[in-house]
Amino acid sequence: MPIISNSTYGRPPRHLFNGHLETIIPSIFRKIEGVTYKRERIATPDGDFLDLDWARNESRKLLIISHGLEGSSERHYAKGLAKLFNQHGFDALAWNNRTCSGEMNLQPIMYHHGASYDLNTVFEHAEAAGVYDEYYLAGISMGGAQTLKFLGEKGTDLNSKIKKAAVYSTPCNLTDSAATLSFKGNGFYRKRFLSKLKLKMQLKGEQFPGLVDLDLLQRVQDFDTFDTHFTAKLHGFKDAADFYQAVSADNWMKHIQIPTLIINALNDPLIHDRCYPIKLAEQSHHIFLEMPKRGGHTGFLVKGQEFTWAEMRFLEFLNS
């Protein structure tokens, strides 16, 4: 235990008949109206900044939302959670990883799946205000990995005000997740992520001349090359393999000490094999693993509903 063997997610709308459509259609077309953020910029310990987007309603409970790769607080899944939890008596804070708020960051690093240090900065800033009695963490995709790593790193030293956490579509093992981007049929995701990341790396190279090989950058067509020569180099790792292994959330997940829900759909095209931590969940008293047959990657749409099943499941788990 605790593996949740009978997931309550049934099936998506009929027109979303495979994992790719369940992933792509919400990503492109889903919109959440009625969320008005108030932005706050905070300093990081290394002289950089993070942009925080708040959706407040004078609550003493705060949901901290961590977004996915090349996402932001503006993504449908972040706004969906903010709106739903606001409606049920929570404040919400959707923070933006470095370079993800619309402005290039100041340091020669950027962000990555293991950047739990920035989540820690966000939490410490919120806690320093003395407003909240309880905190709840929510992570989506990469943000889920950052959340799990943060919780595991803290272990028994985690602030007692952090009560529960929930993540979905999360690459618990980064090596196995990164491998999916070379799978046949996943070219759409590879090209989309690479084009966005290459543009940011171009800007970073112009910001710090000589930092990266801009000629090589233009020729990169796969993630192993990109992460070896750019992500790993910027962040102090030997190569892509070293980076994936070193920052992977499952290095720390066994140390998690609060109730934590992991939802990973079995038809998610961007997670694989060790991203479903079955053995760990069987041995843990704190990790609850739910593996719906359907849902895709950050999908989980429900016909006729504004909120996804994953968002409503988060509310059920975190608010119980």
Side-chain angles (χ1 to χ4, degrees):
M1 76 171 251
I3 292 179
I4 302 169
S5 56
N6 296 313
S7 176
T8 58
Y9 186 56
R11 59 177 300 142
R14 288 186 177 274
H15 65 286
L16 305 180
F17 50 81
N18 63 36
H20 294 298
L21 290 174
E22 292 174 67
T23 300
I24 294 168
I25 296 302
S27 178
I28 296 176
F29 296 108
R30 184 179 180 229
K31 307 297 180 185
I32 298 293
E33 305 295 338
V35 176
T36 302
Y37 289 131
K38 182 176 180 180
R39 175 157 292 186
E40 179 185 17
R41 177 165 291 185
I42 65 172
T44 64
D46 64 342
D48 216 328
F49 68 88
L50 296 170
D51 284 333
L52 281 51
D53 287 325
W54 294 86
R56 293 187 175 98
N57 58 9
E58 306 304 321
S59 176
R60 302 287 293 182
K61 299 185 294 185
L62 177 65
L63 179 73
I64 300 178
I65 304 166
S66 301
H67 66 76
L69 183 69
E70 280 306 282
S72 73
S73 61
E74 293 295 325
R75 295 295 287 145
H76 65 93
Y77 50 69
K79 284 190 166 183
L81 283 170
K83 184 173 184 178
L84 179 62
F85 275 75
N86 275 175
Q87 290 177 355
H88 288 82
F90 288 72
D91 280 9
L93 165 57
W95 69 283
N96 297 275
N97 277 269
R98 305 183 196 211
T99 78
C100 294
S101 61
E103 184 176 337
M104 187 58 59
N105 68 312
L106 304 177
Q107 294 295 325
I109 63 170
M110 291 175 35
Y111 75 96
H112 58 73
H113 284 70
S116 52
Y117 44 82
D118 281 341
L119 175 55
N120 184 64
T121 296
V122 171
F123 169 72
E124 288 186 346
H125 174 77
E127 172 63 357
V131 174
Y132 298 105
D133 299 323
E134 298 178 3
Y135 296 90
Y136 299 84
L137 305 185
I140 302 91
S141 192
M142 179 194 73
Q146 293 172 332
T147 299
L148 295 175
K149 182 171 178 282
F150 168 78
L151 293 172
E153 286 171 330
K154 294 296 183 181
T156 56
D157 292 328
L158 185 72
N159 189 300
S160 62
K161 290 185 181 180
I162 302 177
K163 302 302 183 182
K164 292 183 178 181
V167 305
Y168 73 92
S169 301
T170 293
C172 298
N173 182 276
L174 188 53
T175 299
D176 283 4
S177 178
T180 66
L181 291 168
S182 63
F183 288 179
K184 183 179 181 180
N186 277 359
F188 172 84
Y189 313 112
R190 180 173 60 254
K191 292 176 183 177
R192 190 178 189 195
F193 284 136
L194 266 181
S195 63
K196 291 181 177 181
L197 288 167
K198 286 172 68 174
L199 177 59
K200 283 187 177 177
M201 195 61 68
Q202 176 75 33
L203 294 173
K204 184 59 66 177
E206 294 170 357
Q207 184 183 19
F208 293 93
L211 179 67
V212 296
D213 187 340
L214 293 179
D215 291 332
L216 174 62
L217 180 66
Q218 300 308 313
R219 302 194 301 272
V220 169
Q221 299 296 323
D222 65 272
F223 260 88
D224 186 73
T225 302
F226 180 84
D227 282 336
T228 289
H229 293 283
F230 299 95
T231 308
K233 181 179 179 181
L234 254 62
H235 297 99
F237 301 98
K238 178 182 177 181
D239 53 22
D242 179 47
F243 163 61
Y244 299 150
Q245 193 284 323
V247 307
S248 188
D250 58 2
N251 291 324
W252 291 273
M253 286 165 52
K254 64 183 178 182
H255 302 300
I256 291 174
Q257 298 295 313
I258 62 170
T260 300
L261 175 66
I262 300 173
I263 299 171
N264 279 349
L266 293 174
N267 72 338
D268 189 324
L270 294 176
I271 60 177
H272 185 63
D273 200 10
R274 289 176 292 174
C275 292
Y276 303 92
I278 295 172
K279 290 184 179 179
L280 177 60
E282 289 174 340
Q283 297 168 0
S284 173
H285 295 291
H286 304 291
I287 293 175
F288 295 77
L289 177 61
E290 188 162 354
M291 298 176 288
K293 292 180 181 179
R294 304 290 300 273
H297 190 78
T298 69
F300 302 103
L301 292 186
V302 179
K303 184 178 180 180
Q305 297 292 323
E306 177 180 18
F307 301 111
T308 68
W309 170 83
E311 290 158 3
M312 293 185 287
R313 183 73 178 92
F314 272 28
L315 180 65
E316 177 187 44
F317 182 83
L318 296 177
N319 201 31
S320 62

